[in-house]
Amino acid sequence: MPEHNGIGAYAVHLPAYALAGNALDGAEPRPGGPVRGVAAYDEDTVTMAVEALREITAEPPSGGRLLLATTSAPYDGKTSAGIVHEALGLDTGVAAADLHGHRSGATALDLLVHAGAAVALGDVRTTRPGAPDELAQGDAAAGFVPGTAAAVLLARAGRTAEVLDRWRLPGERHDRVWDERFTSGILVEAGWAAARRALADAGLDAADHVAVASSNPRAAAALRRDLGGSGADAEIERLTGYTGTAHPGLLLAAALDTAAPGETVLLLSAAEGADAFVFRAGDGVRSARGGRPVREQLADREVLGYGRYLHWRGLLDVQGPARPAAPSPAAPPMHRRAGWKYRLEGGRCDACGGVTTPPSRACAVCGVTADAAAPGKVSLRDRGATVVSVTRDRLTTMPEAEVAIVVADFDDDGTGGGRLSAYATDVRPEAVHVGMRMRPTFRRLWTTDGIHNHFWKLRPWEGHDQ
Amino acid sequence: MAHDVAIVAMGCTPFRDHWNSSADDLLVDAVTECMAALPALSLDDVDAFWVGTQGTGLSGQVLARPLRLSGKPVTRVENYCATGSESFRNAVFGVASGAYDVVMATGVEKLKDSSQSGLSAVLPPADGTDVDWTAPAGFSLLDPAYREAHGVGERDMRSALTHVAVKNHANGALNERAQFRRPVTAAAVENAPRIAGGLGVLDCSGVSDGAAAAVIVRAEDAHRYTDRPVFLRGMSFIAGSGAGLATGGYDFTTFPEVVTAARQAYAQAGVTDPATQISLAEVHDCFTPTEVVLMEDLGFSERGKAWRDILDGRYDLGGALPVNTDGGLKSFGHPVGATGLRMMFECFTQLRGEAGERQVPDARLAVAQNLGGQPGSSVAFVAVLGSEL
């Protein structure tokens, strides 16, 4: 399978928020201390995976696979990758499956290069408030599609080590952790062996770029030192936290952001054993990235207060308004309107060209009724939109004091416009104004009666038109 | 229509927190008051009944059970916040068509038995893609859009919104049936806790319980029942297509459904210049910006000028065209199924010269305007009522 021995394109989604302090007494964070990325209250593994992969799956292949690796799937039992698949509009012939467990991020990368799978690695990490590693865990997603433009795999080696390192019983929210001084020895041994094997198989003594991701920070530090890395991976980790299954993908993407064509990258993931990959950056590495570089996304984040973080995560039970929970969606209409709900596809009228949102049989512009079997679809998810009017809901059922809600008109690029009433996100409500430019982003609106309600919100356009 | 019609009697409960009354009690009270004005008539003489309610009950039995009506046709109707008007409209058609001689329209809503804020509604299963707006959030969209479209400064618009609230509460303070009977100051309006967008608590109508009822007969028969009937001169109802939220073009500075309904009702009533011919108007002041926009949609103010006319006092009780003389939704709250009929009740009272301290001198033509839904996707009712046919 030589056509599948590398990475065709990659993208990372880092949430717009960062937590720098977790002092319950309000003490200021230690300067230069660890910072963690925080998924917004409306993000989960699925939405972050969609945000990463949407940048690089413009023309999904038929056949093949989509794999989602995570330790924080929004559902037990139900496959999360299926939601990602639907939102990306992949061919129904593309299989969608989840991989679970801390090692699954590396496993997904293995299946990317060996089986030609499109993969998303995403995790939302929480600890008990005040846990020693609270700021050392973080949220992120990375996406990769097969090919050779970004990187070619030179060698791969793995070791399996069954050890009680990080674990969580079904239904529990936070990992339990064994004394890392014990587990680090096992992970370092496995990691070192895997890395040496992979480098040897690649015919190398060392790589130009080294990225070590480990569920055990002591092991990560030792392996980075022993493998002669530059420390760039550790620097990023101090800004994101260990992002679980996403972490090897995040660090690999960060390395590819800076690697010149032909340079080698050693990626080592040490979790429940070890997985080592040696890549050579492809000739197209400079243009293989979707979305913004890791460093740029990190620089753009808003610092979040600890109380707000705890509220978002449901770790503080805060009194909300005297308002019923938002209604849960129902399976048949979700299925019937999947094009709208998951891909933001409007109806385009054959008679007048107008776009109706949500799509309906009769055009909202001219009233002509369309054939139910042939709805005119136009994808709106990658278009810019301009705010027509805006309000701030201060009785919101979301874990915020207020959220902005906008009505926005999509750009008319010759295929009609379209209008969306939507929640604004990743923006202070008071900053949203008439005329503001925004773009759709896939989010989780709310969860009622055990049903997650995923749909599109709008976020400010800036930073995404590059 | 085959026949002109007239209202010969009305009843209206106080609108407030009726902790000790059920919806049944409220309907009985409203109907009892209404029938008391017609001593020669009993419920047995009423040929057909309509009851409007959004969420208080299902079927015509909402009215048939509390009144123990026997062998009567009773129809329950619903049209969002225009439900009370819809009850009236359909009852009117019962007489105007010649099907019945005497009919009754009623409306009721019991909102305060829930501990939730605002209005509640039960919606069918859906795909979850609709914004879960609060009503104030949906209507507050009018504010920034209006300012943007007409170049009105934030301070000027705020003053106009405040004036609407102060005016309507001042009127409500004169009305023993109102939920809120204390005037409010501009400072109180502007310092009230914010609810949605620029709207504070006192920019919003209250939540109350209430019921109202009307007896409708052919105009030619009206004087058999009362010496001061009120005649329906024109009436229109429009259910919007919702295009304002489903495609571009709608700019949140108007209710197109109201504009159409007003045009049709005025045409029927022979009103050519509403700004000068209408004596008073009851309009749907669910939120203060709604009333601003409605002044233009009803043809009372020029486009972009309503905020100025409001500040000039044109719509005050002593102004050229008093609006919401009874206190409006701001003072009465909004028991959905009853509101439209409550508006009719004030028009009925004013046109009969029975409004006491609130009486508009020489009131001859009154407009009752009622709407539901939200800007961009609303339903709208407009009626013109007259002291003469």
Side-chain angles (χ1 to χ4, degrees):
Chain A
M1 53 199 92
E3 71 275 21
H4 292 321
N5 65 343
I7 300 168
Y10 70 98
V12 165
H13 172 76
L14 290 174
Y17 301 93
L19 181 69
N22 62 343
L24 287 166
D25 61 3
E28 287 294 312
R30 181 165 55 89
V35 175
R36 60 159 293 166
V38 176
Y41 61 88
D42 55 3
E43 294 187 286
D44 62 20
T45 298
V46 162
T47 67
M48 293 197 300
V50 170
E51 286 299 297
L53 277 177
R54 67 184 287 199
E55 304 283 0
I56 52 174
T57 52
E59 293 179 20
S62 59
R65 299 164 185 81
L66 170 70
L67 301 176
L68 173 62
T70 185
T71 68
S72 59
Y75 288 109
D76 276 347
K78 175 172 167 49
T79 302
S80 296
I83 306 172
V84 179
H85 182 290
E86 187 76 67
L88 295 172
L90 300 185
D91 187 284
T92 53
V94 175
D98 292 351
L99 301 177
H100 289 289
H102 283 99
R103 198 179 176 184
S104 67
T107 306
L109 292 174
D110 192 17
L111 291 168
L112 162 79
V113 291
H114 286 114
V119 302
L121 290 58
D123 239 336
V124 177
R125 313 280 302 169
T126 63
T127 66
R128 282 194 179 77
D133 62 348
E134 185 170 29
L135 294 177
Q137 306 289 312
D139 313 326
F144 300 86
V145 294
T148 56
V152 173
L153 182 74
L154 300 180
R156 183 250 163 204
R159 293 288 182 275
T160 296
E162 170 54 29
V163 59
L164 193 66
D165 176 20
R166 283 185 167 271
W167 71 101
R168 191 169 76 222
L169 293 176
E172 289 186 342
R173 306 185 62 182
H174 314 297
D175 285 354
R176 298 162 189 259
V177 187
W178 197 269
D179 185 337
E180 67 175 20
R181 289 169 294 187
F182 165 67
T183 48
S184 68
I186 292 167
L187 294 175
V188 166
E189 186 181 339
W192 180 250
R196 294 314 310 168
R197 178 80 256 163
L199 284 169
D201 288 353
L204 299 173
D205 292 327
D208 298 313
H209 302 265
V210 174
V212 176
S214 179
S215 54
N216 183 312
R218 181 179 289 255
L223 287 165
R224 282 170 184 145
R225 189 175 57 243
D226 292 347
L227 293 169
S230 67
D233 52 350
E235 191 184 338
I236 285 170
E237 188 170 315
R238 283 184 72 77
L239 295 171
T240 61
Y242 172 69
T243 58
T245 58
H247 214 51
L250 169 64
L251 298 183
L252 173 60
L256 293 175
D257 281 351
T258 59
E263 289 184 344
T264 54
V265 179
L266 168 63
L267 172 68
L268 176 63
S269 171
E272 297 162 10
D275 297 272
F277 303 82
V278 180
F279 291 102
R280 175 184 288 129
D283 293 339
V285 68
R286 291 274 59 81
S287 56
R289 189 190 65 242
R292 297 187 298 158
V294 169
R295 293 278 183 179
E296 193 177 307
Q297 294 189 53
L298 288 173
D300 252 12
R301 297 179 302 179
E302 178 185 334
V303 175
L304 194 67
Y306 190 45
R308 204 162 159 219
Y309 162 79
L310 293 173
H311 190 192
W312 283 7
R313 283 287 176 280
L315 299 172
L316 265 188
D317 189 10
V318 176
Q319 178 68 52
R323 188 180 167 192
S328 60
M334 288 167 76
H335 185 72
R336 280 198 303 272
R337 300 222 289 183
W340 167 247
K341 182 173 179 63
Y342 293 105
R343 296 186 295 281
L344 206 59
E345 290 171 347
R348 187 165 184 274
C349 177
D350 289 337
C352 77
V355 174
T356 299
T357 47
S360 68
R361 292 284 299 280
C363 172
V365 179
C366 70
V368 167
T369 303
D371 179 356
K377 290 178 187 168
V378 55
S379 174
L380 302 170
R381 73 167 202 197
D382 295 320
R383 284 201 200 167
T386 303
V387 175
V388 176
S389 194
V390 57
T391 185
R392 292 154 69 179
D393 181 1
R394 294 177 173 87
L395 298 176
T396 174
T397 54
M398 296 173 189
E400 285 278 77
E402 59 178 88
V403 297
I405 306 174
V406 303
V407 177
D409 280 350
F410 286 102
D411 300 345
D412 185 349
D413 61 357
T415 56
R419 172 166 280 194
L420 180 67
S421 302
Y423 297 94
T425 195
D426 290 354
V427 62
R428 287 174 292 111
E430 65 271 24
V432 182
H433 56 85
V434 175
M436 187 174 187
R437 299 275 300 152
M438 306 192 88
R439 77 181 314 242
T441 177
F442 194 64
R443 297 296 169 113
R444 188 202 289 179
L445 269 56
W446 50 73
T447 300
T448 307
D449 297 335
I451 302 173
H452 299 309
N453 186 24
H454 291 101
F455 187 55
W456 297 83
K457 295 187 175 182
L458 289 167
R459 58 163 295 163
W461 180 269
E462 61 262 21
H464 280 273
D465 50 353
Q466 307 171 21
Chain B
M1 289 191 282
H3 301 281
D4 287 322
V5 303
I7 309 170
V8 291
M10 289 198 75
C12 182
T13 68
F15 280 28
R16 56 189 52 144
D17 306 339
H18 284 291
W19 304 119
N20 295 319
S21 299
S22 66
D24 287 7
D25 295 330
L26 296 171
L27 278 170
V28 169
D29 288 348
V31 169
T32 300
E33 183 189 11
C34 185
M35 294 304 291
L38 303 170
L41 205 69
S42 78
L43 285 177
D44 282 343
D45 301 318
V46 179
D47 300 316
F49 298 80
W50 277 260
V51 59
T53 185
Q54 181 182 256
T56 296
L58 299 171
S59 92
Q61 288 198 289
V62 168
L63 185 71
R65 261 194 305 241
L67 293 175
R68 298 298 176 204
L69 299 173
S70 181
K72 297 290 185 183
V74 187
T75 304
R76 178 227 175 198
V77 297
E78 183 278 330
N79 239 321
Y80 287 160
C81 300
T83 292
S85 299
E86 186 68 331
S87 172
F88 174 83
R89 190 176 76 103
N90 282 274
V92 162
F93 289 151
V95 168
S97 66
Y100 300 115
D101 297 326
V102 182
V103 299
M104 174 175 281
T106 65
V108 66
E109 212 73 56
K110 189 85 181 75
L111 298 174
K112 300 296 289 195
D113 285 357
S114 153
S115 71
Q116 290 162 0
S117 311
L119 306 179
S120 51
V122 177
L123 299 171
D127 67 357
T129 64
D130 288 337
V131 170
D132 188 29
W133 305 91
T134 62
F139 281 84
S140 71
L141 293 169
L142 297 168
D143 171 26
Y146 184 94
R147 283 192 275 118
E148 176 85 7
H150 298 302
V152 182
E154 194 167 353
R155 181 63 251 174
D156 284 336
M157 188 68 180
R158 180 62 260 174
S159 295
L161 301 179
T162 301
H163 191 98
V164 168
V166 170
K167 166 182 75 77
N168 291 355
H169 278 288
N171 294 348
L174 304 176
N175 194 334
E176 63 187 12
R177 295 178 200 255
Q179 179 184 22
F180 303 117
R181 297 214 52 209
R182 280 200 312 209
V184 298
T185 64
V189 174
E190 297 188 3
N191 293 331
R194 301 288 101 181
I195 295 294
L199 306 187
V201 168
L202 288 174
D203 288 294
C204 308
S205 52
V207 178
S208 65
D209 304 324
V215 172
I216 298 151
V217 301
R218 281 187 295 274
E220 67 207 50
D221 299 336
H223 282 96
R224 286 164 49 187
Y225 301 98
T226 175
D227 56 0
R228 278 179 295 177
V230 165
F231 298 95
L232 179 64
R233 299 277 301 265
M235 175 177 73
S236 175
F237 174 82
I238 302 292
S241 73
L245 296 179
T247 192
Y250 173 66
D251 71 352
F252 293 89
T253 65
T254 176
F255 295 93
E257 299 88 350
V258 174
V259 173
T260 303
R263 188 177 65 235
Q264 293 177 356
Y266 290 156
Q268 293 166 22
V271 172
T272 53
D273 182 12
T276 59
Q277 292 172 308
I278 301 299
S279 310
L280 72 136
E282 286 289 304
V283 308
H284 198 86
D285 59 326
C286 49
F287 304 98
T288 51
T290 317
E291 183 165 321
V292 176
V293 167
L294 288 175
M295 295 304 95
E296 298 176 11
D297 288 344
L298 291 169
F300 299 161
S301 285
E302 283 180 47
R303 285 283 166 206
K305 301 286 174 52
W307 67 276
R308 184 73 259 173
D309 289 343
I310 287 167
L311 288 174
D312 288 345
R314 175 172 164 75
Y315 304 114
D316 292 359
L317 193 53
L321 203 176
V323 169
N324 287 328
T325 53
D326 67 349
L329 280 74
K330 283 293 296 115
S331 300
F332 269 76
H334 182 27
V336 179
T339 289
L341 281 162
R342 186 269 302 161
M343 294 171 164
M344 298 275 178
F345 182 81
E346 176 67 3
C347 295
F348 182 77
T349 305
Q350 289 276 0
L351 292 171
R352 285 157 59 102
E354 296 171 344
E357 286 182 275
R358 307 190 310 280
Q359 183 62 48
V360 174
D362 196 28
R364 292 169 179 272
L365 277 183
V367 163
Q369 179 277 327
N370 190 202
L371 66 79
Q374 68 181 85
S377 184
S378 64
V379 300
F381 173 89
V382 175
V384 181
L385 299 162
S387 54
E388 297 165 3
L389 187 59

